[in-house]
Amino acid sequence: MAESKDPTNANLEESETKKPKSMAAQTGLPERETVGTTGEEGAHGDVSASAGSKLAAPETEPVVKPATKPAKRKKEEPAPVQAARESLSLSADEIDKPKVVKAKGSKNIHSGIAHVLSTFNNTIVTITDMKGNVIGWSSAGKVGFKGSRKSTAYAAQMVAQDASRQAMGHGLKEVEVLVKGPGAGRESAVRALQAVGLDLTVIRDVTPMPHNGCRPPKPRRV
């Protein structure tokens, strides 16, 4: 008897023969198993894949701006030399003693007289021997003061120092001081003479005072 073929089996065989072969079968390589991920595993897999792609991407180097040239340093200007401040104090300790240079025609005068003329505009100091012969003199203008500074106490101090330096070059050591005038340099000149190193034997005020000797002028008529 002839075997009767099952129509269902025949249809399955035909469908199997008609199925296209996979890429692995065509190339001869073994097929890889594909594992489907669902739920949390799929989410983690996507994150890891994205993180891997970010890490694998080449990092872009930060843009470095070219360094600016250092600013040129200004030439350091030397600080202006401040002029020596004037010592306005009249204390004997702070007065500098002048350098005494022996005069060429030294007269070897031991004692003398210091005439101090102090007005409202100037101060003049003249040092003489006991007979009145001048051995040293100075004034505010000679020392270098001008204008209203000539009548100051500091100018009188410098004048007395200059005059005493000249006189001490002749060997002067002690003086009598005769003060004349109402100016501001009366006391400062005397203190400067003492601070320089001279011995003051007498200090006398010889300012002329009127005592009704001269006839007064007539009153002014306007």
Side-chain angles (χ1 to χ4, degrees):
M1 289 178 71
E3 294 179 358
S4 62
K5 292 183 179 180
D6 190 0
T8 56
N9 292 335
N11 292 333
L12 287 173
E13 289 177 1
E14 288 178 1
S15 62
E16 288 179 1
T17 55
K18 289 179 181 180
K19 281 183 182 181
K21 295 182 179 180
S22 63
M23 293 295 294
Q26 292 177 4
T27 55
L29 296 174
E31 291 185 359
R32 295 182 181 178
E33 294 180 357
T34 58
V35 179
T37 57
T38 57
E40 295 179 358
E41 292 180 359
H44 289 300
D46 296 341
V47 171
S48 62
S50 62
S53 62
K54 289 181 181 179
L55 293 174
E59 295 181 357
T60 57
E61 296 181 357
V63 179
V64 180
K65 295 182 179 180
T68 57
K69 294 182 180 179
K72 294 183 179 179
R73 293 183 179 177
K74 294 182 180 179
K75 294 182 180 178
E76 296 180 357
E77 298 180 357
V81 180
Q82 295 181 353
R85 294 183 179 179
E86 298 178 355
S87 60
L88 300 178
S89 62
L90 301 177
S91 61
D93 297 335
E94 296 184 3
I95 297 176
D96 298 332
K97 294 184 178 181
K99 294 181 180 179
V100 179
V101 180
K102 192 172 183 180
K104 289 183 180 179
S106 179
K107 301 176 182 179
N108 296 324
I109 297 171
H110 184 266
S111 59
I113 302 172
H115 302 269
V116 179
L117 174 61
S118 177
T119 65
F120 292 119
N121 297 320
N122 202 352
T123 303
I124 302 173
V125 177
T126 305
I127 300 177
T128 65
D129 59 5
M130 300 304 293
K131 295 180 181 180
N133 299 316
V134 178
I135 58 176
W137 75 276
S138 184
S139 66
K142 182 183 177 183
V143 175
F145 293 93
K146 293 182 181 180
S148 61
R149 298 181 66 194
K150 292 167 66 174
S151 61
T152 58
Y154 178 71
Q157 175 184 322
M158 299 301 293
V159 168
Q161 288 183 17
D162 187 28
S164 60
R165 178 181 55 80
Q166 298 174 26
M168 290 172 74
H170 293 282
L172 186 69
K173 291 187 177 179
E174 62 180 20
V175 291
E176 296 179 6
V177 182
L178 305 180
V179 183
K180 184 187 290 187
R186 289 165 55 96
E187 294 182 5
S188 60
V190 174
R191 290 181 183 179
L193 290 171
Q194 185 178 11
V196 162
L198 294 174
D199 296 329
L200 307 184
T201 56
V202 178
I203 300 174
R204 189 181 306 151
D205 187 1
V206 293
T207 304
M209 298 291 292
H211 46 83
N212 296 330
C214 298
R215 181 177 178 273
K218 290 188 294 184
R220 183 169 174 244
R221 290 182 294 181
V222 181

